[in-house]
Amino acid sequence: MESVIIIVFVMGYLAITLEHNLKLDKLIPALIMMAVCWAIVALGVDSFSNWFDSANHGLVDGFASMVHDDKMHIVEETLLHHLGKTAEILVFLLGAMTIVEIIDYFDGFSTIKSFVKTKNKKSILWIFSILAFILSAIIDNLTATIVLISILQKIVKNRDERIWFAGLIIIAANAGGAWSPIGDVTTTMLWIGNKVTTLKLVEYLLIPSLLCMAVPAFIASFLPAFKGQIDVDESDEVDKPKSPHSARMLYLGLGAIVFVPIFKTVTHLPPYVGMMLSLAIVATFAEIYSNSKFSISSAEGEQAEEHASGAHHSPVHASLSKIEMPSILFFLGILMAVAALESLGILFNFASTLQDTVPMMGTEMHTEGTAGVSDLVVMLLGVGSAVIDNVPLVAASLGMFSEPLDNELWHFIAFSAGTGGSMLIIGSAAGVVAMGMEKIDFFWYFKKISWLALIGFVVGSATFMITRTLF
């Protein structure tokens, strides 16, 4: 039965990886994989000799000798446990996505465009790399990439020039997302899963992540693509008027998201509680500003229609309607499918095999009573995240390793999974969305950008290995 579940998982995984070739949204194989894996578990529960209790992080004593009803009771309890953990991540992401959409409703991100005054390509490269690094740590790397490429399209009109900037934005956004608990889905998973704390994550990863962004940008600044000035269409110089509340909503929204880790530290409640409070505060101000009939926003035409008919369109409802539900369902499917593998102990056996077969490199990461995990294993996870989605890789690592809170292993996994995906354009959510927005060719990115991302990853990893002794 275990082998059947592994085959289903591998086939589902291939379908996710090849979604562009198959023209099949990745949420479909993820949901099928989840349902089929758990169905096989339920139907074949009597044939399993082991069951792993994730709550207590150990095997259930005497599982093989239990009667069918007792085994099913444990399966249902485990399923509920994993659903609860997954729901914490999904509700957190829903709150963050809604706040970002509310900011966009008020055209808040147009405020960032006013920061870019120069026409020098090298200067624009550094401005956007730094903005991507900072913004992705606050609003997550996927959203930061969408926002910055949208702004870039208004500044750099030539697509052939623009895709070079987009490539460096992907590297910077993934590097920025790695050192913040709210910057990437994978770091959020480790944070919510009580594997890392905010302060230690920043301590361990800020310098490696900064170098992972800065070194590729520095090398790229000497390339011919970033020499000279950009061509400017004078007719586009005058921007359309925007909402008078745009800057206010931008700072309020970003501040509300940054408040979440502070709320968790003070109250010790799960992060999604703080995110719901932040969403409620931002939504309150959004309704107040909307009721004051702000003029000329991105939703101007729609609002004029509604006012003419006597209706008022809530900015919160409008923002919720734009939430990317396919991404939420994909995370649900993949996390619950990985949970099935974890519950049967498959991931732990795989982790033991890795630790026994992969040679130690550098300082092994271990705690008292553990065998230690090679740096090479974690770097291989990073390289793997360029080919395979980093969400299931980190979900698997949560089941594979049992190191305690803030062990250096978890911080290195956060860095590797977050930044390793930059090496291929399909390796991260930021890369995939940039690929869609700018129609970037896979092989163009592989030839022109991948080597820069690899250098950043290696430099960042080496820096982590050197600096971790300080913490």
Side-chain angles (χ1 to χ4, degrees):
M1 280 294 188
E2 282 98 335
S3 55
V4 176
I5 289 175
I6 292 170
I7 291 167
V8 169
F9 189 84
V10 170
M11 288 176 64
Y13 223 105
L14 283 172
I16 290 168
T17 307
L18 301 171
E19 67 167 329
H20 297 292
N21 306 73
L22 298 174
K23 302 289 188 293
L24 190 72
D25 194 295
K26 61 185 179 183
L27 82 90
I28 296 169
L31 292 176
I32 291 172
M33 189 165 62
M34 173 199 80
V36 172
C37 283
W38 279 104
I40 294 169
V41 168
L43 293 172
V45 69
D46 293 321
S47 65
F48 301 125
S49 56
N50 290 323
W51 189 263
F52 191 82
D53 182 359
S54 300
N56 298 314
H57 219 82
L59 293 173
V60 175
D61 291 331
F63 182 80
S65 59
M66 289 181 180
V67 297
H68 177 80
D69 288 347
D70 288 344
K71 286 182 176 180
M72 280 306 299
H73 179 68
I74 289 174
V75 169
E76 288 166 10
E77 279 191 342
T78 305
L79 187 57
L80 194 60
H81 167 79
H82 285 298
L83 181 62
K85 289 296 176 188
T86 303
E88 283 189 15
I89 296 169
L90 301 187
V91 172
F92 178 91
L93 292 174
L94 279 171
M97 287 175 171
T98 308
I99 290 174
V100 168
E101 290 296 346
I102 290 173
I103 295 171
D104 192 49
Y105 180 89
F106 287 87
D107 207 17
F109 293 113
S110 62
T111 306
I112 297 171
K113 185 175 180 289
S114 62
F115 297 156
V116 186
K117 304 291 185 187
T118 181
K119 302 292 179 282
N120 181 275
K121 288 183 182 178
K122 192 181 291 187
S123 300
I124 291 172
L125 165 66
W126 278 103
I127 289 168
F128 273 89
S129 292
I130 293 167
L131 277 174
F133 185 78
I134 295 169
L135 262 186
S136 63
I138 303 171
I139 59 173
D140 84 65
N141 49 13
L142 171 64
T143 311
T145 303
I146 295 170
V147 168
L148 291 175
I149 289 181
S150 299
I151 296 167
L152 192 67
Q153 287 170 342
K154 296 171 186 173
I155 296 170
V156 182
K157 297 297 178 183
N158 186 327
R159 180 193 164 275
D160 292 336
E161 293 179 349
R162 197 168 60 237
I163 56 176
W164 279 92
F165 291 98
L168 272 296
I169 284 173
I170 293 167
I171 294 173
N174 286 332
W179 64 273
S180 162
I182 51 180
D184 186 274
V185 176
T186 52
T187 47
T188 300
M189 286 163 60
L190 290 166
W191 182 49
I192 290 175
N194 282 321
K195 300 301 180 186
V196 298
T197 58
T198 304
L199 288 177
K200 285 294 180 185
L201 193 68
V202 175
E203 277 180 14
Y204 271 113
L205 297 188
L206 180 57
I207 296 171
S209 298
L210 185 62
L211 288 174
C212 184
M213 175 276 291
V215 172
F218 176 75
I219 295 169
S221 64
F222 293 100
L223 298 177
F226 297 102
K227 297 278 174 69
Q229 309 281 315
I230 58 167
D231 298 323
V232 179
D233 186 349
E234 297 299 326
S235 63
D236 290 328
E237 283 292 282
V238 180
D239 290 332
K240 66 175 184 178
K242 59 179 184 286
S243 161
H245 304 299
S246 60
R248 212 172 297 159
M249 287 306 296
L250 173 69
Y251 300 131
L252 175 65
L254 297 183
I257 295 173
V258 171
F259 165 74
V260 176
I262 300 169
F263 181 86
K264 181 185 186 295
T265 305
V266 173
T267 64
H268 301 290
L269 287 169
Y272 71 88
V273 180
M275 185 57 81
M276 292 298 103
L277 175 61
S278 291
L279 173 58
I281 292 167
V282 172
T284 301
F285 281 93
E287 294 288 353
I288 292 168
Y289 293 148
S290 180
N291 288 331
S292 65
K293 282 178 71 175
F294 69 82
S295 61
I296 315 177
S297 75
S298 56
E300 183 190 23
E302 184 187 328
Q303 287 187 339
E305 226 173 89
E306 283 152 7
H307 284 306
S309 64
H312 167 64
H313 197 296
S314 163
V316 180
H317 291 180
S319 301
L320 281 167
S321 68
K322 292 182 179 179
I323 293 298
E324 248 196 279
M325 281 309 293
S327 295
I328 296 293
L329 289 173
F330 166 71
F331 294 141
L332 171 67
I334 202 74
L335 292 173
M336 292 302 291
V338 171
L341 297 185
E342 179 186 330
S343 299
L344 294 173
I346 294 168
L347 295 180
F348 295 89
N349 294 334
F350 179 65
S352 301
T353 306
L354 266 182
Q355 291 176 33
D356 293 339
T357 55
V358 176
M360 289 295 176
M361 185 189 78
T363 307
E364 66 183 79
M365 291 173 284
H366 63 87
T367 54
E368 190 178 345
T370 66
V373 181
S374 169
D375 289 333
L376 188 56
V377 170
V378 182
M379 289 184 74
L380 286 173
L381 280 177
V383 174
S385 73
V387 182
I388 301 167
D389 195 279
N390 59 1
V391 171
L393 277 179
V394 171
S397 71
L398 286 168
M400 282 160 58
F401 308 117
S402 56
E403 272 65 16
L405 175 70
D406 274 334
N407 182 268
E408 60 201 70
L409 169 70
W410 299 119
H411 296 281
F412 199 12
I413 287 173
F415 175 82
S416 290
T419 61
S422 303
M423 286 184 267
L424 292 178
I425 197 164
I426 60 166
S428 66
V432 171
V433 77
M435 188 183 193
M437 290 177 78
E438 290 292 356
K439 304 294 182 283
I440 300 172
D441 182 69
F442 175 90
F443 293 104
W444 179 90
Y445 185 94
F446 184 71
K447 287 187 284 187
K448 307 291 187 184
I449 307 293
S450 291
W451 65 277
L452 290 168
L454 175 61
I455 290 171
F457 175 72
V458 171
V459 169
S461 298
T463 306
F464 176 85
M465 292 176 202
I466 295 165
T467 58
R468 66 183 167 192
T469 53
L470 299 173
F471 307 115

